Amino acid sequence: MSINTLINNHKTQFDKFFFDLLKANLNSSILSKAMIYGSMNGGKRIRPFLVGQAAKIAKAKKTQYLRVASAIESIHSYSLIHDDLPSMDNDDFRRGKLSTHKKFDEATAILAGDALHDFAFQILSSRLTHNNPERRIQLINYLAKSLGHLGLVAGQSLDLLYENKRNNIKKIINMYKLKTGSLFEFSFSSPFILTNHPKEIIKFYRRYGLFFGLIFQIIDDLIDETKSFKLIGKTPGKDKKQGKSTLLDLMGKKNVISFCHDEINQFIKKNNNYFKKNLILKELLKFNLTRIK
Ligand code: IPE
Ligand code: IPE
Ligand code: MG
Ligand code: MG
Ligand code: MG
């Protein structure tokens, strides 16, 4: 089965689980409606899919991993609602629809993002996620670190500071790892935390997730410049218009694609033991490159 088919099959299952969780906790307020709007609006659910793939390798329990995946997607949805705000990327569209601040208003979008962020920690801290409080604290601590001043938010801050400035490859890669890699790192390694795997194993899957996120963001920038609104559901050509510092801008399309190929091959070579044991790891990395075809 192709990775795309696997993603779509998983998405159907995940969407139901996530929506049930939201419905069981939210009410009929405008805030709740905006939270649902910003999170149940047709995302690809790549991160939950990756949690699922990692859970298979780690042999994590299904409801446990689906709860962790829901927390992650809740965070991801918050980050996109805020990313689209006029003071950030100022994007009127997301997933083919009006972005949350356009559908509701700016204040509601900020608050819906805040509440989705908080909802993630509510999910993780519940006994249903893991009956051992140590595991729960470990996940919560790690997610908090992945998101804050040394993680996603730090990356978003650099992304804005780097607009219309000349930056080198190293700086841009660091910004990508923070804004996008951090959540992918958490996504791929969290099932190994749920199952209390040895530190070494967790460390490798953290590196794998971070690397996946880096390639994912490089490809997202390529998609921004080369695909249509119909295909991506967000305003195309936006990065260039806004003067975003991207690897694509620095290197050009051809070089950035071969950069991804080279980096992927090097990463596989360096970690060959893990790749030999789990063939899916390679397929998942290569899937990123098929997104620009
Ligand atoms: C978009 O993420 C933001 C990035 C980190 C590049 P996705 O491409 O996963 O967005 P959705 O959830 O499928 O809309
Ligand atoms: C978004 O990066 C990263 C986060 C939301 C953390 P982008 O700004 O490139 O994402 P899109 O292109 O708007 O989806
Ligand atoms: Mg952005
Ligand atoms: Mg954006
Ligand atoms: Mg983008």
Side-chain angles (χ1 to χ4, degrees):
M1 221 182 280
S2 76
I3 299 287
N4 267 322
T5 314
L6 287 175
I7 290 175
N8 287 331
N9 292 349
H10 184 267
K11 177 178 154 65
T12 310
Q13 196 188 104
F14 172 78
D15 274 345
K16 186 180 176 325
F17 185 92
F18 187 37
F19 192 40
D20 286 349
L21 203 56
L22 284 162
K23 272 192 304 193
N25 283 277
L26 301 186
N27 54 38
S28 59
S29 64
I30 295 286
L31 181 65
S32 287
K33 288 200 171 91
M35 287 168 75
I36 302 257
Y37 184 82
S39 58
M40 288 304 305
N41 54 354
K44 295 181 288 297
R45 311 305 197 195
I46 299 264
R47 295 159 193 77
F49 167 71
L50 291 177
V51 184
Q53 290 302 310
K56 258 194 205 160
I57 302 174
K59 300 198 170 49
K61 285 194 187 124
K62 192 163 180 184
T63 43
Q64 292 186 345
Y65 101 69
L66 282 171
R67 288 182 67 84
V68 173
S70 299
I72 290 167
E73 199 62 14
S74 197
I75 293 290
H76 172 57
S77 306
Y78 123 72
S79 80
L80 294 182
I81 295 173
H82 283 193
D83 182 76
D84 289 338
L85 286 168
S87 54
M88 293 193 66
D89 288 357
N90 193 19
D91 217 318
D92 292 353
F93 295 96
R94 171 66 60 186
R95 297 164 173 171
K97 293 184 204 145
L98 286 175
S99 40
T100 308
H101 67 275
K102 280 280 161 187
K103 179 76 180 176
F104 293 82
D105 55 59
E106 227 180 293
T108 306
I110 293 172
L111 296 169
D114 290 342
L116 280 166
H117 173 279
D118 301 334
F119 187 52
F121 288 93
Q122 186 186 328
I123 298 171
L124 289 185
S125 57
S126 158
R127 274 200 67 191
L128 295 172
T129 300
H130 203 293
N131 57 12
N132 184 341
E134 255 181 63
R135 291 290 87 71
R136 303 202 293 272
I137 297 277
Q138 209 179 338
L139 285 171
I140 291 166
N141 181 266
Y142 177 21
L143 182 61
K145 279 190 195 154
S146 307
L147 297 179
H149 65 287
L150 297 173
L152 184 151
V153 174
Q156 289 288 67
S157 171
L158 290 177
D159 173 281
L160 296 171
L161 287 170
Y162 288 175
E163 278 181 13
N164 298 306
K165 299 213 171 64
R166 187 90 188 150
N167 283 292
N168 59 32
I169 297 181
K170 213 172 143 194
K171 277 183 154 176
I172 296 175
I173 286 181
N174 177 52
M175 180 260 284
Y176 285 178
K177 282 184 175 169
L178 291 169
K179 76 166 180 171
T180 305
S182 312
L183 195 55
F184 277 93
E185 178 185 318
F186 181 82
S187 300
F188 218 86
S189 55
S190 50
F192 296 90
I193 294 175
L194 275 174
T195 46
N196 203 19
H197 268 70
K199 269 201 183 117
E200 269 314 296
I201 306 258
I202 296 175
K203 231 166 123 184
F204 167 72
Y205 285 108
R206 284 180 70 158
R207 275 198 290 122
Y208 177 87
L210 181 66
F211 180 70
F212 188 104
L214 166 67
I215 303 292
F216 188 84
Q217 184 61 52
I218 299 175
I219 300 294
D220 178 79
D221 295 347
L222 271 161
I223 287 174
D224 178 284
E225 192 161 294
T226 54
K227 300 270 176 181
S228 65
F229 175 80
K230 200 161 174 265
L231 271 166
I232 64 174
K234 47 193 185 187
T235 317
K238 191 114 197 352
D239 291 345
K240 203 166 217 168
K241 232 185 282 162
Q242 219 169 341
K244 288 286 185 197
S245 262
T246 64
L247 276 195
L248 172 62
D249 191 43
L250 206 63
M251 296 179 166
K253 188 175 168 192
K254 207 171 141 240
N255 286 343
V256 93
I257 294 174
S258 57
F259 176 83
C260 286
H261 276 285
D262 293 349
E263 289 291 312
I264 290 175
N265 289 336
Q266 263 182 48
F267 188 87
I268 294 174
K269 214 169 154 188
K270 264 196 208 148
N271 300 286
N272 207 20
N273 280 350
Y274 287 95
F275 282 92
K276 266 198 295 199
K277 258 188 269 167
N278 293 295
L279 300 179
I280 189 76
L281 294 176
K282 184 172 172 179
E283 274 184 67
L284 291 173
L285 282 182
K286 300 256 173 186
F287 152 78
N288 276 302
L289 295 161
T290 65
R291 295 182 65 221
I292 40 172
K293 290 219 169 109

